[in-house]
Amino acid sequence: MKNSRMVFGTFIILIGLVLLFENLGLIDIDLSLLWPLFLIVPGLALEIGYFAGGRDAGVLVPAGMLITYGLVFLANIIWGWHSMSYLWPFFPLGVAIGLLQLYLFGRRDSALLVPIAILGGFSAVAFLRINTGLGWDTVFPVMLIVFGILLIFNRNK
């Protein structure tokens, strides 16, 4: 708990200094380009809070989502908002990433694997479909093949 307060306090001080220097004209930062950091930094703070100790693994779900969404918005600022038409599959993936972290670092509840697989699989298929131009006539059979392979090689009954 002490470490997370130190990290959060340092972060607040840095934001205050940047805003003060910006208002005094000592630095010139276009804050309209940095707003995704208001998603990424809290996500990283939650991650650090968990791994530094003192937090429940449940904080990793919003942490994964905030970081993923912040990075998507940052990519849109860098490459233009037209790229959202290619990057939207990362929104369901953000939830899958958060749940995967909860599974890996939490109690390994196997019930989490179902939404992780559904959201992650949907995101991967949508991303490939949009960015490669593959039609459903190609994507759907490949999905069936992968699913069949997983069923055959699954050791759990």
Side-chain angles (χ1 to χ4, degrees):
M1 189 64 138
K2 209 174 197 184
N3 288 340
S4 61
R5 289 181 66 179
M6 171 97 66
V7 169
F8 187 67
T10 303
F11 174 68
I12 296 297
I13 291 169
L14 289 175
I15 289 176
L17 286 171
V18 167
L19 292 174
L20 179 64
F21 292 161
E22 169 73 19
N23 290 336
L24 293 174
L26 299 173
I27 59 174
D28 185 29
I29 296 176
D30 188 359
L31 294 177
S32 67
L33 299 178
L34 297 179
W35 68 265
L37 294 177
F38 289 103
L39 296 174
I40 296 170
V41 172
L44 290 174
L46 290 172
E47 295 273 351
I48 291 168
Y50 171 75
F51 288 108
R55 294 278 172 119
D56 184 62
V59 301
L60 295 174
V61 177
M65 293 169 63
L66 286 170
I67 293 169
T68 302
Y69 300 159
L71 291 174
V72 168
F73 290 133
L74 190 60
N76 280 284
I77 287 172
I78 293 169
W79 295 314
W81 285 96
H82 66 279
S83 60
M84 183 62 82
S85 63
Y86 301 103
L87 297 176
W88 69 263
F90 284 97
F91 287 106
L93 184 65
V95 178
I97 289 170
L99 291 173
L100 180 62
Q101 288 187 104
L102 177 59
Y103 172 78
L104 292 174
F105 301 109
R107 292 183 298 261
R108 297 243 178 202
D109 183 2
S110 60
L112 290 171
L113 295 176
V114 173
I116 292 168
I118 291 170
L119 292 168
F122 172 77
S123 297
V125 168
F127 188 77
L128 287 174
R129 169 92 169 80
I130 291 167
N131 293 298
T132 64
L134 293 176
W136 285 111
D137 57 337
T138 305
V139 172
F140 185 69
V142 170
M143 288 171 44
L144 290 176
I145 293 167
V146 169
F147 184 67
I149 291 170
L150 291 173
L151 285 176
I152 290 170
F153 291 105
N154 187 3
R155 302 274 185 231
N156 298 332
K157 302 246 180 199

